[in-house]
Amino acid sequence: MESKKQPKADEESLVLCVNSEGLELRATPIRLTRHLVVFEVYNPYSILQLSEVLQEFQIFINHRPVYSGRAVVSNLVNTGIFLVCEASLDDAWLDVDLTRPMKASSILRSEFNHFISEYKKHDLVMDDFKLVVADLQGFLIELRRWLEQLEFVVRSNPSRDRHDQEVEIINQVLEPALPMLGDYFMRFEAAAESVKQSLQPLHRSYVKRQLHPIVLCAPFSWRTYTKPLGYAGDYEMVAMMARAPYEGSSLFAKILNTFFLN
């Protein structure tokens, strides 16, 4: 099967597929063998199911297509921030030898030098920018951990009381949290504006690696990332702006979603 989709410039390794409802999915592979793949999905919605057949399933490694066929979901773990999926693979591997670098020392050395060269590009990311991103990342991670403790208590209560308790917690946390989130993101935006145009792709890639696994759990941020151009007929995005913002699979996701819509 010929690969039709391609990864973005900053996506070295990528999973692309279409689920049973016809929705396109982009994910990050974290483990790959001949017969299965494990990948992370940052989509906040439950778009995958056990035993679901995924069509047009493609795997890219270092921008190279290595698999194009179908896969079957064999395991799912929802962390509340992202979805970890394990899928079994057919014999639809493309004519790409991933072990080629190990078969000749000269090729192996060349591949390693390429890896070092790509990694050293991070040295071009401005130090001030790295510091701002690290501060934002650190605050979001600690906020998520703190809210997870509250969520554990809420989920131990009868289901009929959980929604009201969640709303009460969100309302109490939002007042002090929104100004802090606003301050961190304003600092981030200021740092981003100072990046030279020629270095913007590299900085975008850096932000994606550091922040996307955290912030894409919010439905609105995920929507704006997957539908970045927007259009007047995008009913779902308009509906998100109009309805109550407390959406997401966790307290952290709900608070972050409210912030992005505030």
Side-chain angles (χ1 to χ4, degrees), residues 100-113:
R100 181 176 59 89
M102 293 183 287
K103 294 181 178 178
S105 59
S106 60
I107 297 177
L108 178 60
R109 177 63 62 87
S110 175
E111 291 287 338
F112 182 74
N113 289 338

Side-chain angles (χ1 to χ4, degrees), residues 10 117-126 129-130 195-209:
D10 58 351
S117 175
E118 289 296 311
Y119 183 79
K120 280 186 172 294
K121 289 181 180 179
H122 291 296
D123 293 341
L124 298 176
V125 178
M126 298 188 306
F129 187 85
K130 287 181 179 178
V195 177
K196 295 179 180 179
Q197 186 173 1
S198 60
L199 293 177
Q200 286 179 2
L202 178 63
H203 284 68
R204 280 197 297 268
S205 177
Y206 182 79
V207 168
K208 179 183 174 182
R209 291 186 180 185

Side-chain angles (χ1 to χ4, degrees), residues 132 136 177-190 259:
V132 170
L136 174 56
L178 289 182
M180 291 192 67
L181 285 168
D183 179 62
Y184 277 108
F185 274 96
M186 284 180 63
R187 289 170 54 197
F188 168 72
E189 290 176 3
F259 167 74

Side-chain angles (χ1 to χ4, degrees), residues 193-230:
E193 289 176 356
S194 66
V195 177
K196 295 179 180 179
Q197 186 173 1
S198 60
L199 293 177
Q200 286 179 2
L202 178 63
H203 284 68
R204 280 197 297 268
S205 177
Y206 182 79
V207 168
K208 179 183 174 182
R209 291 186 180 185
Q210 301 300 112
L211 296 182
H212 275 200
I214 305 174
V215 302
L216 290 187
C217 65
F220 188 72
S221 62
W222 177 82
R223 183 76 183 185
T224 56
Y225 176 68
T226 56
K227 304 284 186 180
L229 298 180

Side-chain angles (χ1 to χ4, degrees), residues 4-200:
K4 297 180 180 179
K5 305 184 184 73
Q6 294 293 328
K8 298 177 182 178
D10 58 351
E11 294 175 317
E12 294 183 356
S13 298
L14 178 70
V15 168
L16 290 172
C17 64
V18 176
N19 70 358
S20 58
E21 297 180 356
L23 298 176
E24 182 179 318
L25 175 71
R26 305 178 78 92
T28 301
I30 56 177
R31 180 169 177 253
L32 179 64
T33 71
R34 184 74 184 177
H35 302 291
L36 68 84
V37 60
V38 180
F39 52 91
E40 294 178 348
V41 184
Y42 303 135
N43 187 331
Y45 302 104
S46 298
I47 58 172
L48 295 177
Q49 303 177 45
L50 282 174
S51 302
E52 182 176 3
V53 177
L54 304 176
Q55 303 291 348
E56 300 180 37
F57 196 91
Q58 300 174 59
I59 303 174
F60 293 83
I61 302 296
N62 294 328
H63 299 290
R64 292 184 295 179
V66 298
Y67 182 91
S68 183
R70 60 164 232 161
V72 179
V73 177
S74 56
N75 201 3
L76 290 170
V77 177
N78 192 332
T79 69
I81 303 300
F82 54 83
L83 186 70
V84 179
C85 176
E86 179 184 272
S88 58
L89 303 174
D90 293 335
D91 290 327
W93 294 90
L94 302 179
D95 189 17
V96 176
D97 188 359
L98 292 178
T99 64
R100 181 176 59 89
M102 293 183 287
K103 294 181 178 178
S105 59
S106 60
I107 297 177
L108 178 60
R109 177 63 62 87
S110 175
E111 291 287 338
F112 182 74
N113 289 338
H114 175 71
F115 161 73
I116 294 297
S117 175
E118 289 296 311
Y119 183 79
K120 280 186 172 294
K121 289 181 180 179
H122 291 296
D123 293 341
L124 298 176
V125 178
M126 298 188 306
D127 291 339
D128 290 345
F129 187 85
K130 287 181 179 178
L131 181 60
V132 170
V133 170
D135 284 346
L136 174 56
Q137 181 191 50
F139 175 69
L140 292 174
I141 289 174
E142 291 305 315
L143 176 61
R144 183 180 68 190
R145 288 176 179 170
W146 186 77
L147 288 169
E148 284 173 347
Q149 297 177 37
L150 292 178
E151 197 160 26
F152 178 78
V153 175
V154 170
R155 294 187 183 278
S156 66
N157 293 327
S159 58
R160 64 178 180 274
D161 300 328
R162 291 176 190 170
H163 176 73
D164 293 340
Q165 288 183 333
E166 281 193 354
V167 172
E168 182 179 353
I169 290 173
I170 291 171
N171 287 334
Q172 291 187 31
V173 172
L174 274 178
E175 185 175 353
L178 289 182
M180 291 192 67
L181 285 168
D183 179 62
Y184 277 108
F185 274 96
M186 284 180 63
R187 289 170 54 197
F188 168 72
E189 290 176 3
E193 289 176 356
S194 66
V195 177
K196 295 179 180 179
Q197 186 173 1
S198 60
L199 293 177
Q200 286 179 2

